[in-house]
Amino acid sequence: MATFVPATDRRVRSPHLPFGDRRETPYYGMDILSVLQFRREDLEYIFGVAKEMRSMVERVGTFDLLKGKILANLFYEPSTRTSSSFLAAMERMGGSVIPINEVTYSSVAKGESLPDTIRTLQAYADVIVLRHPEVGSAQLAAQYASKPIINAGDGVGEHPTQALLDLFTIEEELGRVDGLTVTMLGDLKYGRTVHSLARLLASFEVRINYVSPEILPMPEEVVGELEHRGIPQARAASLEAVLPETDVLYVTRVQKERFQDLEQYEQVKGAYVITPETLRRAKDEMIVMHPFPRVGEISTEVDADPRAAYFRQMEYGLYVRMALLAMVLGKA
Ligand code: NCD
């Protein structure tokens, strides 16, 4: 599959379509590698399909839209939500999954290269979800695959499906995205979810605040891109300074596995902890999000606060991933 398929130039790769697949659907066969592929009209479309998926799940639980379709879920890094929500998404639509969650038990442990693994799986599956520790791995996989590749996290690069579900969460919870102030907190350097979310938010009229330990700032590359797109951004010295104006507080975990020097990790790991006390200075109508796992950044006492949206966020993820799978498989 070609490396990058911009929304305006979606190509249909396979001349041989399985019976019932509609080639004319605009997203058929598309890779999902970066949020930069999506414009506002794409987002509206995805979220429209996600809402339909939600109502189908509420009404009938499972249905046959992807009956006979197979997903290869290839995870070179740990995952709970991403892998299981893709699996649930596939099964809710009647499809099935080849789960390769623990690459230590696959030929990867024997030294098989990513291209060879991808070529193998595409012979068995209709779509491949890939999480891999290296930036650009999803792009690389897409070069070798004639089936769609969905990037489920490429190292510190991007996590586009997470950003899509994050944006869907914001829209569903607050009713809009334009006009909001989003504050990103925590490990902004290594956190791929915030890299993707910031880029996706740049299609809207938002203000973004960054609050992080000094050694974990939002990468210059991302800040530069957003600046170029006219997004007001500010590095805040403390959360206190920006919390009262915040509509979305997006909290992240310090990404321990990305540190060369674990002593450095120890110094910053407990830098921020959100407690009910913290939220006293926040708006009544705002939300707290987190891609999870949390390792102490949000105290469990916050869970009972209606503004804590992170468990609802996980559920939105199911509907968005159902929508994306149905779209790239030509069924939506
Ligand atoms: C995130 C990830 O893997 O990047 N988790 C997720 O997909 N929900 C965030 C993290 O690991 O901190």
Side-chain angles (χ1 to χ4, degrees):
M1 195 140 292
T3 19
F4 182 74
V5 182
T8 48
D9 177 32
R10 295 175 203 107
R11 270 167 288 159
V12 176
R13 276 85 166 219
S14 170
H16 309 294
L17 293 179
F19 179 75
D21 280 13
R22 284 175 300 148
R23 168 192 291 230
E24 70 272 18
T25 59
Y27 301 90
Y28 178 81
M30 187 174 92
D31 299 312
I32 300 176
L33 305 177
S34 160
V35 290
L36 296 175
Q37 284 167 260
F38 301 105
R39 283 134 227 243
R40 274 180 86 139
E41 60 264 31
D42 298 310
L43 302 172
E44 270 165 38
Y45 185 82
I46 295 167
F47 298 163
V49 179
K51 285 179 204 172
E52 281 176 38
M53 294 300 181
R54 175 170 58 197
S55 87
M56 284 299 281
V57 170
E58 282 166 1
R59 278 191 293 138
V60 297
T62 60
F63 47 101
D64 280 346
L65 189 65
L66 296 187
K67 192 169 176 208
K69 296 292 180 192
I70 298 175
L71 159 75
N73 226 8
L74 177 59
F75 281 71
Y76 290 76
E77 284 187 345
S79 170
T80 300
R81 275 146 294 274
T82 307
S83 65
S84 59
S85 64
F86 269 114
L87 190 144
M90 208 58 196
E91 297 205 341
R92 291 254 173 221
M93 295 184 288
S96 48
V97 179
I98 304 171
I100 308 182
N101 290 332
E102 195 40 276
V103 286
T104 39
Y105 295 117
S106 74
S107 285
V108 170
K110 299 180 191 168
E112 184 167 86
S113 70
L114 179 63
D116 282 358
T117 304
I118 292 293
R119 280 190 190 128
T120 307
L121 291 174
Q122 69 147 348
Y124 309 142
D126 302 292
V127 54
I128 299 171
V129 170
L130 172 69
R131 170 170 291 183
H132 191 280
E134 274 161 45
V135 176
S137 51
Q139 292 264 355
L140 178 73
Q143 280 168 22
Y144 289 91
S146 61
K147 307 282 174 64
I149 297 288
I150 300 180
N151 180 5
D154 60 328
V156 300
E158 278 219 37
H159 194 349
T161 67
Q162 178 72 43
L164 290 167
L165 79 88
D166 291 340
L167 190 69
F168 185 55
T169 303
I170 295 172
E171 215 173 86
E172 287 295 291
E173 294 277 323
L174 297 175
R176 69 200 162 103
V177 180
D178 285 322
L180 297 181
T181 297
V182 178
T183 297
M184 298 183 175
L185 175 78
D187 184 347
L188 307 183
K189 179 177 180 189
Y190 297 126
R192 56 192 168 202
T193 67
V194 281
H195 301 164
S196 286
L197 182 58
R199 288 181 166 124
L200 197 57
L201 284 169
S203 294
F204 296 83
E205 283 165 34
V206 293
R207 311 181 66 83
I208 306 185
N209 297 311
Y210 303 121
V211 185
S212 72
E214 215 160 299
I215 59 165
L216 300 174
M218 183 59 86
E220 274 310 321
E221 189 194 337
V222 179
V223 176
E225 269 174 50
L226 268 68
E227 211 167 76
H228 184 70
R229 295 175 71 182
I231 301 298
Q233 307 167 85
R235 287 208 178 99
S238 73
L239 178 61
E240 284 67 40
V242 291
L243 189 59
E245 69 184 46
T246 295
D247 300 296
V248 176
L249 176 61
Y250 194 98
V251 185
T252 64
R253 161 182 82 92
V254 178
Q255 309 273 305
K256 182 179 182 183
E257 67 275 28
R258 312 283 180 216
F259 281 74
Q260 309 282 345
D261 176 0
L262 274 186
E263 235 168 70
Q264 249 189 2
Y265 166 76
E266 292 297 330
Q267 282 163 21
V268 290
K269 71 173 182 189
Y272 304 100
V273 181
I274 306 298
T275 64
E277 179 61 34
T278 321
L279 290 186
R280 253 187 235 163
R281 288 182 296 274
K283 290 183 183 179
D284 287 337
E285 235 199 90
M286 58 85 73
I287 52 171
V288 182
M289 296 175 65
H290 193 306
F292 267 51
R294 66 174 157 188
V295 287
E297 313 81 44
I298 302 179
S299 88
T300 53
E301 292 146 26
V302 174
D303 300 356
D305 191 310
R307 294 171 291 185
Y310 31 89
F311 293 115
R312 300 192 291 275
Q313 185 182 352
M314 292 169 195
E315 190 183 327
Y316 292 121
L318 172 68
Y319 308 129
V320 168
R321 287 179 172 134
M322 286 174 80
L324 295 172
L325 287 170
M327 287 163 60
V328 303
L329 290 170
K331 301 290 188 184

